[in-house]
Amino acid sequence: MTLQFSDRLLHGADYNPEQWLHDPAILARDIEYMKATNSNVMSIGMFSWAKLEPQEGVFDFEWMDNIINSLYENGISVFLSTPSGARPMWLAKKYPEVLRVAPNRQRNLFGARHNHCYTSPVYREKIGIINAKLAERYAKHPGVKLWHISNEYGGECHCDLCQEAFRGWLKEKYGTIEELNMQWWTTFWSHTYNDFSDVESPAPHGENAIHGMNLDWKRFVSDQTQDFMNHEIAAVKPYNTDMPITANFMYYFNGLNYFKFKNDVDIISWDNYPTWHKTDDFAIGLDTAMMHDLMRSIKKQPFLLMESTPSSTNWQSVSKLKKPGMHLLSSMQAIAHGSNSVQYFQWRKSRGSSEKLHGAVVSHNDRSDTRVFKEVAQLGDLLTRLPDIAASNTHSEVAIVYDWENKWAVEDSQGPRNKNMGYIEEVQAHYRAFTKQGISVDFIDMECELDGYKIVVAPMLYMLRAGFEQKMRKFVEAGGTLVTTYWTGMINENDLMFMGDAPHGLTDVLGLVSEEIDGLYDHESNAGVVQQSLSTGVLSGSYSCTMLCDLVHLQGAEAIVTYKDDFYAGRAVLTRNSFAKGEAYHIGSHFEDSFYDDFYRELAHKLTLETALPVQLPSSVYAVSREDESTKYIFIHNFSNAAAPIPALDEAYSVIARTRPELTQEQWTLAPYEMLIVTTNK
Ligand code: GLA
Ligand code: ZN
């Protein structure tokens, strides 16, 4: 079910009024400016603990009452944060156990944020109290619409409490120390444990060579964070069981397996800070598109863009301004991929401390006639003019596997390339090819089901867990198309190599056996030469390949593309195998983009995959759609600062909005950094 907050898309920001309580004129101007930008939601309370509970057990909610009431009276809703992301001094001073211990076993001092132990009973008790107080007071306030639990959960703690919790987690998983030793293969280097109490978390000056342990530690940290989040949720939920819950996620955040959080939160939200204009904006646009699709896929529902900057950040290596148009384009891109909001960090720049120069809607000049303010206001206006698309969703026939646990294992693997195994790059290469064609993609992990997809792409699935090889087999048996790549089916869920032929459990499905893999230096490349047409002949000629080269023996599969160079010249690098009612393809190396473009164009044709628009778009432009029962909303993005003409669409399509109306006269020419929003009846 789609979660809707209002009858229109949301527009707003992280708002920190607690920094300005001494200046009521600023707070009054904030309201005026929020209205001028058609803002209808503010996230508050995230870093307010010291103002809400200035001394242990002494609470002050009056200021927050005033803020929430004043926002509500002016038509602005609130996303209310729990304040666990940063703690007051009294708490750290009296109970040092709440502070985090680093991998070198040194405890942090008070300061910074995200500096708390997820296990500490004291931290849990104190956050439970303040959360419950907030909930008691505000959970039924008509202006408060969502619990924003903490801020960007992340990080790990190696304190004694966490060590004990890790040992408990391991005992639960393995039962006996003998089983742990077997699964961790501790006979290697004489690392055998005699008792669970001997186990210590990975450390730079201690154990870090047991891959199974490294993996279990990452799983434990993710589970412990999730457990902490659920502790926070349990404190607020009873006060209004209808109030939905979110926690804001981050770009490619490695530390948490976000798929595991999907049943605990009601709506996914995330914070998006692309480095626009650093390199090719189209490439950055596709990179960002992938992250939006990943976030949408976690619950297969619309999500919230919880943070983005209206201008620049202040933590990237260079703080570039968004060129005119980019703010509207990048904000609407989120909507196009399933967001029901555009929200910013931050509403107003602080006067001091480390984020005083971070972009905001309102700057230190306190003016509303700035370039940034005007673009924000323009976007706010556009959002109010769009039809109600909040109930629409994205439909995908393609699933790409992106699995956090596989990533953790790939990155710890030591060989065949220690420089960069390129898991993300591999996943992105497949994603880009579909997105450029306007074919929407769902991301799944190995615990997801494959039903309903026409094609499943499983890039670099080094680890197989949760019976995923069985799921892939059944999928192909039933008529699905599977694409696997090099470095697949090597280890089990505990990071033990599978015995027998690789890819484990799939050799008959793929019709091949992988015997060896060659690592290539960055200055090296090979090439794949097409030997036979797949279906339309688009895949033709030769394509360069890099990184890793899988050396396979065919056992029933046909060679479509073969290596050009080295001692394995002539051996298959793209294969096709018919298996029961379906087909399985195996790609043995990492290719240049044109290979994936052409390969997936062939498959799209063969499988008649749905595209957002049935026309060929220029190279800086892509389209994506959302749909409800009757209408398809198509968003056509031009990620270039040059105008881009697109083929005229017939009368079945109508333009309902564009992000740069003042610049564009011609209906089917996109201005620089423009998005065209088109509808068609289904
Ligand atoms: C993160 C945090 C915010 C702020 C921004 C700055 O997303 O959640 O509090 O620090 O980064 O870009
Ligand atoms: Zn700890």
Side-chain angles (χ1 to χ4, degrees):
M1 201 195 71
T2 303
L3 199 68
Q4 278 179 275
F5 292 99
S6 68
D7 53 3
R8 60 187 172 106
L9 297 164
L10 300 175
H11 190 215
D14 277 13
Y15 182 40
N16 299 111
E18 67 273 21
Q19 295 176 18
W20 302 95
L21 298 177
H22 58 278
D23 193 343
I26 290 273
L27 299 177
R29 203 141 47 241
D30 283 336
I31 298 282
E32 181 196 323
Y33 285 172
M34 286 171 193
K35 287 159 90 171
T37 53
N38 276 300
S39 294
N40 50 18
V41 68
M42 290 290 141
S43 284
I44 68 166
M46 198 176 298
F47 299 114
S48 307
W49 196 344
K51 276 276 182 213
L52 292 169
E53 191 178 0
Q55 296 299 329
E56 185 171 9
V58 177
F59 298 94
D60 176 6
F61 293 105
E62 204 186 319
W63 67 269
M64 191 172 256
D65 293 350
N66 293 336
I67 297 291
I68 292 180
N69 289 336
S70 147
L71 289 167
Y72 179 61
E73 281 154 20
N74 286 283
I76 301 157
S77 298
V78 163
F79 288 172
L80 187 55
S81 284
T82 63
S84 61
R87 73 229 51 76
M89 170 57 111
W90 60 259
L91 180 57
K93 194 167 167 185
K94 183 163 173 197
Y95 309 101
E97 73 163 54
V98 304
L99 296 172
R100 245 172 229 184
V101 171
N104 67 3
R105 295 352 186 211
Q106 192 177 355
R107 196 178 289 281
N108 291 349
L109 300 178
F110 173 75
R113 57 177 175 175
H114 304 144
N115 178 12
H116 54 275
C117 170
Y118 290 124
T119 307
S120 158
V122 171
Y123 202 63
R124 287 185 177 218
E125 182 199 331
K126 296 298 172 193
I127 194 65
I129 293 170
I130 184 72
N131 284 6
K133 292 257 179 207
L134 282 167
E136 193 179 12
R137 205 168 180 99
Y138 302 117
K140 290 242 160 97
H141 192 293
V144 179
K145 299 291 188 199
L146 175 79
W147 285 115
H148 177 313
I149 304 292
S150 199
N151 182 59
E152 295 188 339
Y153 281 123
E156 56 190 48
C157 173
H158 297 257
C159 77
D160 292 344
L161 296 164
C162 287
Q163 301 293 348
E164 260 320 292
F166 181 43
R167 290 173 198 129
W169 187 96
L170 293 170
K171 230 182 261 177
E172 174 90 19
K173 177 171 177 185
Y174 294 111
T176 64
I177 197 68
E178 291 73 26
E179 182 62 11
L180 175 142
N181 280 313
M182 181 54 86
Q183 294 302 320
W184 282 6
W185 210 252
T186 53
T187 316
F188 178 80
W189 288 353
S190 254
H191 287 197
T192 312
Y193 293 100
N194 298 319
D195 192 272
F196 280 100
S197 61
D198 296 338
V199 180
E200 277 271 345
S201 60
H205 55 308
E207 185 59 83
N208 51 39
I210 299 176
H211 287 178
M213 176 198 212
N214 294 344
L215 195 56
D216 277 341
W217 171 252
K218 288 197 164 67
R219 288 178 175 135
F220 163 76
V221 170
S222 188
D223 285 1
Q224 196 71 350
T225 309
Q226 190 180 354
D227 189 64
F228 181 84
M229 180 185 80
N230 283 326
H231 172 81
E232 288 213 60
I233 292 172
V236 296
K237 196 78 192 174
Y239 295 89
N240 179 356
T241 50
D242 291 335
M243 175 107 101
I245 305 271
T246 197
N248 51 340
F249 292 168
M250 293 176 271
Y251 173 84
Y252 283 119
F253 183 63
N254 197 45
L256 300 175
N257 180 353
Y258 285 150
F259 274 106
K260 294 253 189 209
F261 289 64
K262 68 180 160 197
N263 297 323
D264 301 330
V265 296
D266 298 299
I267 189 160
I268 299 291
S269 62
W270 84 284
D271 303 341
N272 175 35
Y273 294 100
T275 51
W276 298 119
H277 317 308
K278 179 179 179 183
T279 52
D280 171 36
D281 282 320
F282 186 63
I284 299 170
L286 292 178
D287 179 61
T288 307
M290 173 164 158
M291 203 47 50
H292 288 313
D293 280 335
L294 176 56
M295 293 294 164
R296 175 186 53 73
S297 297
I298 293 173
K299 280 185 86 76
K300 292 204 181 143
Q301 277 177 14
F303 60 93
L304 298 173
L305 176 64
M306 188 59 82
E307 293 180 25
S308 60
T309 178
S311 58
S312 62
T313 69
N314 70 336
W315 49 264
Q316 289 161 353
S317 57
V318 173
S319 302
K320 280 201 85 60
L321 298 178
K322 288 188 196 170
K323 295 191 193 299
M326 182 50 98
H327 178 61
L328 272 80
L329 175 64
S330 59
S331 300
M332 287 306 301
Q333 183 191 24
I335 303 281
H337 284 269
S339 178
N340 278 352
S341 75
V342 175
Q343 294 161 261
Y344 313 116
F345 179 85
Q346 51 190 338
W347 171 256
R348 179 185 280 277
K349 286 181 187 171
S350 56
R351 270 197 82 185
S353 285
S354 71
E355 290 186 327
K356 65 184 187 291
L357 296 175
H358 191 291
V361 179
V362 185
S363 190
H364 302 117
N365 59 21
D366 204 15
R367 300 180 72 103
S368 60
D369 57 359
T370 61
R371 185 181 75 98
V372 168
F373 191 97
K374 284 195 235 163
E375 284 214 9
V376 167
Q378 212 184 340
L379 176 69
D381 177 54
L382 175 65
L383 292 175
T384 61
R385 286 188 289 105
L386 286 178
D388 179 18
I389 61 172
S392 65
N393 208 341
T394 308
H395 176 243
S396 307
E397 298 173 322
V398 178
I400 297 182
V401 182
Y402 180 86
D403 188 280
W404 261 267
E405 298 189 17
N406 177 58
K407 178 170 184 283
W408 292 336
V410 165
E411 291 173 355
D412 202 27
S413 73
Q414 293 184 267
R417 270 177 61 96
N418 289 338
K419 211 170 162 205
N420 174 20
M421 284 292 287
Y423 178 61
I424 288 179
E425 291 78 356
E426 183 61 38
V427 176
Q428 286 176 326
H430 298 262
Y431 173 80
R432 278 195 296 269
F434 287 108
T435 305
K436 282 192 258 179
Q437 290 186 62
I439 297 170
S440 82
V441 170
D442 275 355
F443 286 94
I444 56 172
D445 79 346
M446 285 190 260
E447 289 169 40
C448 296
E449 299 307 321
L450 308 183
D451 313 326
Y453 295 112
K454 286 187 174 173
I455 173 167
V456 170
V457 182
M460 214 195 262
L461 221 51
Y462 169 56
M463 172 192 285
L464 292 176
R465 66 180 187 95
F468 200 65
E469 64 275 29
Q470 291 303 329
K471 286 185 192 166
M472 290 191 278
R473 165 182 296 275
K474 288 199 183 114
F475 174 73
V476 180
E477 272 171 358
T481 297
L482 173 70
V483 179
T484 60
T485 74
Y486 62 95
W487 210 232
T488 285
M490 311 288 292
I491 60 161
N492 73 8
E493 65 172 35
N494 291 330
D495 213 326
L496 290 176
M497 295 298 293
F498 287 116
M499 302 299 287
D501 287 337
H504 172 77
L506 294 171
T507 53
D508 55 342
V509 178
L510 297 170
L512 55 75
V513 167
S514 163
E515 184 182 320
E516 295 182 276
I517 192 158
D518 194 15
L520 271 53
Y521 285 102
D522 283 355
H523 64 266
E524 289 184 301
S525 65
N526 201 318
V529 182
V530 180
Q531 302 298 340
Q532 57 167 304
S533 168
L534 260 187
S535 62
T536 61
V538 169
L539 188 81
S540 61
S542 90
Y543 301 88
S544 91
C545 58
T546 52
M547 311 274 282
L548 292 158
C549 293
D550 199 356
L551 308 192
V552 302
H553 298 285
L554 302 187
Q555 290 187 353
E558 317 159 64
I560 307 292
V561 178
T562 56
Y563 285 113
K564 176 165 169 285
D565 297 322
D566 217 322
F567 70 92
Y568 37 93
R571 287 187 54 182
V573 60
L574 171 65
T575 61
R576 173 174 57 193
N577 192 46
S578 296
F579 185 76
K581 292 190 191 147
E583 276 195 329
Y585 294 83
H586 184 75
I587 303 173
S589 187
H590 181 76
F591 280 97
E592 60 183 316
D593 270 14
S594 58
F595 170 87
Y596 302 99
D597 293 346
D598 295 350
F599 174 63
Y600 286 117
R601 205 167 276 288
E602 298 253 13
L603 291 192
H605 177 260
K606 191 164 177 190
L607 302 171
T608 58
L609 298 180
E610 255 178 66
T611 64
L613 264 187
V615 296
Q616 178 83 37
L617 296 170
S619 62
S620 64
V621 177
Y622 82 93
V624 66
S625 62
R626 287 174 72 153
E627 46 198 78
D628 54 29
E629 274 169 18
S630 58
T631 313
K632 186 166 162 184
Y633 305 92
I634 304 157
F635 303 82
I636 313 171
H637 317 63
N638 178 22
F639 276 102
S640 155
N641 63 1
I646 61 169
L649 298 170
D650 64 32
E651 59 283 2
Y653 295 87
S654 45
V655 175
I656 58 160
R658 51 201 321 156
T659 55
R660 306 208 65 186
E662 77 285 9
L663 289 177
T664 309
Q665 304 304 328
E666 275 182 80
Q667 194 172 23
W668 304 119
T669 292
L670 294 167
Y673 300 121
E674 188 187 19
M675 173 185 277
L676 197 60
I677 306 158
V678 171
T679 54
T680 187
N681 293 331
K682 279 178 60 187

